[in-house]
Each structure stands twice: as C-alpha cells, then as structure tokens.
Amino acid sequence: MAQPVSPKLLKVMERAQRDPSTRFLSLAHLLDEEMLTRAFHGQREDAAVGVDGVTKDQYGQTLDANVRNLHERLVAGRYRHQPIRRVHIPKDQGQTRPIGISCFEDKLVQEALREILEVVYEPLFYDCSYGFRPGRRAHDALRTLDHAVMTGEMNWVLEADIRSYFDSLDRKLLIEMLGQRVADTSLLRLVGKCLHVGVLDGDEYHEPEMGTAQGSVLSPLLGNIYLHYVLDEWYATDVAQRLKGRARLIRYADDFLIGFERREDAEAVMCDLRARMAQYGLTLHPDKTRIVPFKRPGPMQKSGKGPATFDFLGFTAYWRRSRKGSWMPAFKTRTSRLRRAVQAVRDFCRRHRHESIKVQRVGLNRRLNGHYNYFGVNGNIRALATLHHQAIHAWHKWLSRRGQRSPMTWQRYEEILSSYPLSCPAIKVQIWDTTL
C-alpha cells in the first residue's frame, strides 16, 4: 500500500507542477523523521542485505531510535553512505549484469531522496519517457509503439543500445544537471554521498569514479534525469524541429528507440546521436545500434511474416498477417528472454526437487505467473505455451530424480498435475490499438 505524502511535500509538488521552470532553494528540510519512517515501511521484508547484514526486521526492532539517530546524523552532516555489495545477475550469451545492494539504512536515505526528487522532476519529464515513473510501465511504451507503427509514423526504426549506461554516467555532469532544478546545496551534497560510494565485489573493494550503482533505489530516477537532458530534451527542442517527416522517441530508462517516417531523417539522427552521447560520456553499442526498415509490407507479399524485426523491452516486434489477412505489428517474447525463463524454471525444479510437491508447485506458479503478467500480451500466446510446456517436462524430470524406488511414470505425474496444476498461459495485457 502506498504511504501518504506529507503536507510539506504536497506543497513542493504543487509548486513544481505550477511552474516547471522554477528552482528549489530549500528541500533538505523535507527529509525528516516522518519521511524516513515512511521509507522504512516501503521496504520489502525479504530484500537482499548489504555489507552490514542488517534486515528490515532487525532495523525495525528499535525503529524510532534508529530513525532519530539517522536523522540527527543527516542534519549534522555526519551521515556516510556505506559501501555497496555487488552481485552479478546472468544475462544473455553468458554475460552478467552487476547489481549493487545497499545497506538497509542507506536504502532509507535513497528512498527519501527519490521521493523528493521525483516530485520535483516529474512535471519536467517528457511523455516519451516511460521507465520508473508513477503510473507508467513498459506496456504503455509498447502501446505507443504499436500506434506509431500502425499510423505509418515508424517506417524506419533506430534501435539504440547504450553500452554500460549506469556505469558510464558522468557524476559531475549529473550534479550540474540537478543544479538546474535544485539549488539546495545540502540536498545536492547528500545525493553526491549516495553516488560516491565504494563497491565490495566479492573480496575486492574499489571506488569507481563514474556511474551510479544499478540496483540502488535512487539510480533509476538519476538515470532518468540524466537522459532527460541528454536525449529527451535534445530530441524535443532540436532534433524534432528539423526533421522532414514524422518521428517518435520512445524511452524506458536507458532502453530507447526512435521511429521515423523517412529514411533520410533516420540516417541523419543516427550520426548526430552518436556525437550527442559521446559529449556526455556515453557510447552506443556498435553491434546493437542500427536502423531497421519496418514499413508495412505490401499487399502482394505472400509470406505470413514481414521481412524485418527489432527488439524492445524483452519483446521482438515484427509484422504478421491477421486472421482477416491484413498486415499488423505484433510482439513476441524475445528468444533469449524465453530461453532464460525456461532455464530459470529448470534450475528451480532441480534446486527444490526434495521439497514437498505443494511447496514446489507454489514456487513454479509464482514464476510462471510473473512471466505471464509481463509477456502475456495479445498475439504472444505461443511463446507463453512454450514456457508452460517446458515447465511441465522439467518438473517431471526432477520429480523422477527424488530417489524413490520406482520411477515417476507419466500416469502418476498426470495425477499429481490434476491435484497440483501449473498455471496455464493467459493473455494479461491488451497492446493492439483496436480503434485503427
């Protein structure tokens, strides 16, 4: 449940919405004991712990005293952000994504800062930005993409990928950007403390000079602010004004694409985009940044699928024929994401094979339903069914290896499934614009 917003923060929100050009001189006073307590109640019970090993339950046993002590250190300028613990999450092609886990107390400070800065910056952000913003999610970005393609606004797609975005973000430039909206030096100094922290990666400790820890509470908002100035504002005030045809920028955090009506516009922006990113210390991945033709196939094309595809937010966008024979854009689970989901289910069945069938079923359904809730968009039922099919076979395989005297026959397994069924694939989200 969302925590109530304090009256003082509501006043800042009203002023920010009324005058998006204003600079805020005094914000640090908002970070009081009430806000820190609200941040505490917003934390997950089962969240991973930082280098100090403190959990929410342990911190909450003497909550009032802990919050009072933390607030006193913040006011006196004695607060110091502890090092973050880095873990590596598997990605595609054997790569990993580094995630930073802060200590519990630091999470409270980051959450309080996030609450303040979100109120200040939300009226400033453009509609093209969808990631980590209140009331917006990835499916909204897909709907915008679908509408732009259907209306002919995206005949050419500039598919972009920023290499190691959160690790490459220039902290000095970020603080300067924040200073355009926030003139409170105390608050900016506190943000700096959250940025300039050491990293404990296994047994190795280092202090990076660039970037913000991916996985921290504050990082998504700081990343949005950085790209607001680097990309969104540049596109809206400069690029869009000199294009010959229609175009559309769609961004979710650091994952973005730009669709163009005309090819020459796409090629011109491609060159300018690389220079713009380099100006702010960012690099576009040479193999993952490209211009894709995505115009609606002609009526004479006999193939059931269009010629071009591109990836966005875990989906592959492509053209396909509807049941009535007309061409329409569609979204299916990206092959690598589906492969990763199947492997995650197999790993779960292997690790938990000795637990009770009831417990295993709950865990499997939690993973399946989580996948369906995101990837269950209309037109993607085949990919969902693939995961469901693989889950059934993986569960049978590892139940058969529990050490029983006789093997798990399919007949016996079907009896188990009738009593403990796995969640069936289901379309959860409507993406297609049915008005067109």
Side-chain angles (χ1 to χ4, degrees):
M1 178 182 292
Q3 299 295 319
V5 178
S6 68
K8 292 186 293 184
L9 193 61
L10 280 175
K11 290 182 180 179
V12 174
M13 181 187 301
E14 292 169 358
R15 183 183 174 191
Q17 293 172 343
R18 186 172 60 251
D19 184 7
S21 64
T22 190
R23 291 184 76 211
F24 290 88
L25 300 175
S26 179
L27 291 173
H29 70 282
L30 298 172
L31 212 162
D32 53 17
E33 292 184 30
E34 178 187 349
M35 179 174 284
L36 292 171
T37 302
R38 189 163 62 245
F40 168 84
H41 290 297
Q43 301 300 311
R44 288 173 44 192
E45 299 283 350
D46 60 346
V49 298
V51 295
D52 61 350
V54 175
T55 65
K56 179 179 180 179
D57 180 66
Q58 292 171 336
Y59 195 87
Q61 290 176 5
T62 54
L63 178 61
D64 292 342
N66 286 335
V67 168
R68 189 181 309 111
N69 177 269
L70 173 58
H71 182 251
E72 290 174 355
R73 283 183 283 129
L74 287 168
V75 172
R78 293 185 288 106
Y79 166 77
R80 295 293 182 270
H81 196 296
Q82 298 187 64
I84 63 172
R85 180 170 68 90
R86 174 162 288 178
V87 297
H88 296 269
I89 306 300
K91 283 179 60 177
D92 304 334
Q93 300 175 346
Q95 297 179 334
T96 61
R97 182 189 303 277
I99 300 295
I101 302 174
S102 302
C103 294
F104 188 82
E105 188 173 73
D106 296 326
K107 292 178 182 179
L108 303 188
V109 176
Q110 291 179 27
E111 174 60 26
L113 286 172
R114 184 206 61 77
E115 189 175 3
I116 295 171
L117 291 176
E118 183 175 85
V119 164
V120 169
Y121 275 93
E122 185 59 29
L124 215 63
F125 289 153
Y126 288 89
D127 288 340
C128 63
S129 171
Y130 291 90
F132 304 101
R133 294 182 60 188
R136 291 182 161 227
R137 56 179 185 160
H139 295 133
D140 297 321
L142 293 176
R143 291 189 186 99
T144 300
L145 172 59
D146 176 78
H147 183 274
V149 170
M150 287 291 288
T151 56
E153 196 172 350
M154 284 191 172
N155 295 329
W156 300 86
V157 175
L158 198 171
E159 183 184 12
D161 182 270
I162 303 176
R163 177 179 282 170
S164 302
Y165 171 64
F166 286 96
D167 291 334
S168 304
L169 186 147
D170 190 310
R171 296 171 181 172
K172 183 179 179 181
L173 290 177
L174 173 61
I175 295 297
E176 291 177 0
M177 293 173 183
L178 289 170
Q180 297 182 38
R181 183 72 163 160
V182 178
D184 188 332
T185 56
S186 296
L187 193 81
L188 293 178
R189 192 178 302 113
L190 187 56
V191 173
K193 290 182 179 181
C194 294
L195 285 172
H196 296 83
V197 294
V199 175
L200 186 63
D201 193 344
D203 295 330
E204 297 183 4
Y205 175 83
H206 63 283
E207 297 180 356
E209 298 181 357
M210 305 288 290
T212 176
Q214 191 171 357
S216 73
V217 178
L218 192 57
S219 287
L221 178 57
L222 294 179
N224 266 344
I225 293 172
Y226 200 75
L227 281 181
H228 165 77
Y229 290 105
V230 174
L231 180 63
D232 302 352
E233 189 172 66
W234 170 70
Y235 174 83
T237 60
D238 183 11
V239 175
Q241 310 303 319
R242 49 188 170 86
L243 298 178
K244 297 179 180 179
R246 294 179 295 169
R248 172 88 62 152
L249 166 65
I250 304 175
R251 181 174 69 81
Y252 190 95
D254 61 321
D255 195 355
F256 72 95
L257 56 81
I258 310 176
F260 301 88
E261 184 180 15
R262 303 168 67 116
R263 179 174 182 171
E264 55 266 37
D265 286 339
E267 293 174 343
V269 173
M270 177 82 146
C271 296
D272 293 344
L273 182 62
R274 293 186 185 279
R276 177 71 178 182
M277 291 293 169
Q279 183 181 349
Y280 291 88
L282 303 176
T283 305
L284 293 177
H285 197 294
D287 299 327
K288 298 180 181 179
T289 303
R290 56 182 185 145
I291 296 175
V292 179
F294 205 68
K295 187 176 182 180
R296 183 190 300 271
M300 300 304 294
Q301 183 166 329
K302 297 181 180 181
S303 172
K305 292 185 179 180
T309 67
F310 63 90
D311 297 325
F312 188 54
L313 300 180
F315 291 88
T316 296
Y318 67 103
W319 284 102
R320 74 179 186 93
R321 286 194 183 275
S322 67
R323 293 180 179 179
K324 296 181 180 180
S326 60
W327 287 103
M328 61 185 303
F331 302 95
K332 63 181 179 181
T333 309
R334 186 177 176 181
T335 301
S336 59
R337 292 293 293 270
L338 181 57
R339 189 185 304 119
R340 193 193 312 171
V342 169
Q343 188 59 49
V345 165
R346 291 172 177 169
D347 291 342
F348 175 86
C349 293
R350 175 180 56 82
R351 293 196 310 270
H352 298 270
R353 64 186 182 275
H354 295 302
E355 295 181 356
S356 69
I357 290 177
K358 181 180 179 180
V359 170
Q360 291 186 54
R361 183 242 186 182
V362 170
L364 274 173
N365 279 344
R366 186 183 300 117
R367 283 157 178 76
L368 290 174
N369 289 328
H371 187 90
Y372 299 157
N373 287 339
Y374 182 77
F375 289 101
V377 303
N378 42 354
N380 194 34
I381 192 67
R382 182 177 297 180
L384 304 184
T386 297
L387 177 61
H388 181 259
H389 174 79
Q390 292 291 336
I392 288 176
H393 282 266
W395 201 20
H396 173 260
K397 172 183 176 180
W398 289 106
L399 285 179
S400 300
R401 300 188 180 187
R402 282 158 61 98
Q404 59 263 44
R405 294 179 180 178
S406 58
M408 174 74 68
T409 64
W410 270 102
Q411 181 179 358
R412 170 60 181 146
Y413 182 54
E414 288 174 353
E415 293 174 358
I416 292 175
L417 287 177
S418 65
S419 301
Y420 302 93
L422 296 182
S423 297
C424 293
I427 299 303
K428 305 285 188 177
V429 183
Q430 181 77 21
I431 296 296
W432 296 335
D433 190 342
T434 56
T435 62
L436 297 175

